[in-house]
């Protein structure tokens, strides 16, 4: 089965976690786009969505799904999002679409994080996909030098500005044996806004196509 078909299956399968009356946290990306399409069929049964990006907000609104502010919504029962890599412990690399900061915020606000992926995203060890890090623009070189000290190869995602007005560094060359420790270490660097490792708050459920693992 193609990756696109598996993405569609995963997006549609995640609908079974949506409860009547819920405010649903919605991630970003091509897999989530299938979830949003399926969620539109339930729009009269939910209060609305909290979105993780301008891209998803536009898609949700286009399909008539109300988009609510997280500050007004309070704790969420469910967050559905894709990932760039997923290890056997449901720890993730995210941020390929540069939406990692709002994704991490909405994931943190949710009781259950359902991650929807195709099988190409499954790995034994995180790091083959370059790790995205959102940085304050003036700290780009500073953070880059710190990453080199940690044996990573930082590459500035030139031309990309996040929804928060920041920049992205993609770190190549890391085989991430302890993602929880690395996430904590990188979070401490001055100028780092968000690290694309979702290890301290991993997914609760992973759907690979329509199969829950
Ligand atoms: C965006 C993300 C996406 O979830 C991730 O890049 C996966 O995208 P796709 O579903 O298009 O493969 O983290 O910042």
């Amino acid at each position: 089965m193609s990756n696109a078909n598996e993405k569609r299956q995963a997006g549609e399968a995640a609908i079974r976690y949506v409860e009547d009356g819920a405010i649903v946290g919605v991630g970003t990306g091509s897999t989530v786009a299938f979830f949003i399409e399926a969620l539109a069929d339930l729009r009269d049964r939910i209060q609305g969505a909290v979105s993780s990006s301008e891209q998803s907000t536009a898609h949700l609104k286009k399909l008539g799904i109300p988009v609510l502010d997280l500050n007004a919504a309070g704790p969420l029962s469910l967050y559905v999002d894709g990932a760039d890599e997923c290890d056997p412990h449901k720890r993730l690399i995210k941020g390929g679409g540069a939406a990692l900061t709002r994704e991490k915020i909405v994931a943190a606000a949710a009781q259950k994080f359902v991650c929807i992926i195709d099988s190409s995203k499954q790995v034994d060890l995180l790091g083959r996909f370059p790790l995205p890090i959102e940085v304050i623009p003036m700290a780009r070189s500073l953070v880059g030098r710190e990453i080199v000290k940690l044996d990573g190869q930082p590459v500035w995602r030139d031309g990309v500005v996040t929804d928060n007005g920041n920049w992205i560094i993609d770190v190549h060359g890391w085989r991430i044996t302890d993602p929880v420790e690395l996430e904590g270490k990188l979070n401490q660097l001055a100028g780092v806004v968000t690290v694309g490792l979702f290890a301290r708050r991993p997914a609760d459920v992973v759907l690979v196509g329509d199969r829950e693992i």
Side-chain angles (χ1 to χ4, degrees):
M1 184 177 294
S2 75
N3 291 354
N5 277 340
E6 283 189 344
K7 286 181 179 195
R8 176 185 293 280
Q9 279 190 338
E12 292 176 356
I15 286 295
R16 63 176 178 255
Y17 295 92
V18 177
E19 291 170 359
D20 284 356
I23 301 174
V24 182
V26 174
T28 300
S30 57
T31 316
V32 164
F34 290 120
F35 174 70
I36 294 174
E37 297 284 333
L39 192 62
D41 293 338
L42 302 186
R43 68 181 149 242
D44 296 333
R45 288 172 39 196
I46 61 171
Q47 287 187 62
V50 168
S51 172
S52 62
S53 64
E54 300 300 329
Q55 180 190 317
S56 289
T57 297
H59 194 179
L60 288 157
K61 285 184 173 169
K62 188 172 151 219
L63 296 179
I65 301 169
V67 177
L68 309 175
D69 187 297
L70 180 62
N71 291 311
L76 306 173
S77 54
L78 176 66
Y79 178 56
V80 177
D81 198 0
D84 300 299
E85 277 188 352
C86 175
D87 81 2
H89 304 285
K90 302 185 176 69
R91 300 177 298 198
L92 314 170
I93 285 182
K94 291 185 46 55
L100 62 165
T101 295
R102 295 187 191 186
E103 291 174 338
K104 204 172 247 196
I105 292 169
V106 186
Q111 264 169 4
K112 181 175 280 188
F113 177 3
V114 175
C115 181
I116 51 177
I117 56 171
D118 65 80
S119 47
S120 72
K121 309 287 183 65
Q122 290 180 285
V123 296
D124 288 331
L125 201 60
L126 298 171
R128 191 180 57 206
F129 189 93
L131 177 66
I133 301 179
E134 180 165 347
V135 297
I136 299 289
M138 72 173 286
R140 174 174 63 91
S141 299
L142 171 69
V143 173
R145 288 193 294 275
E146 294 300 318
I147 287 167
V148 170
K149 285 185 205 162
L150 296 169
D151 291 329
Q153 297 138 32
V155 177
W156 177 30
R157 210 183 291 178
D158 197 2
V160 171
V161 178
T162 70
D163 286 349
N164 315 303
N166 297 318
W167 290 351
I168 300 284
I169 293 174
D170 294 304
V171 185
H172 296 245
W174 274 338
R175 304 296 287 157
I176 303 172
T177 50
D178 190 342
V180 171
E181 191 203 13
L182 184 64
E183 184 178 356
K185 199 183 279 184
L186 295 171
N187 275 337
Q188 301 305 316
L189 297 178
V192 166
V193 177
T194 301
V195 180
L197 273 171
F198 286 54
R200 296 185 162 229
R201 199 278 183 253
D204 300 300
V205 172
V206 175
L207 292 171
V208 183
D210 60 4
R211 185 172 49 94
E212 183 179 326
I213 58 164

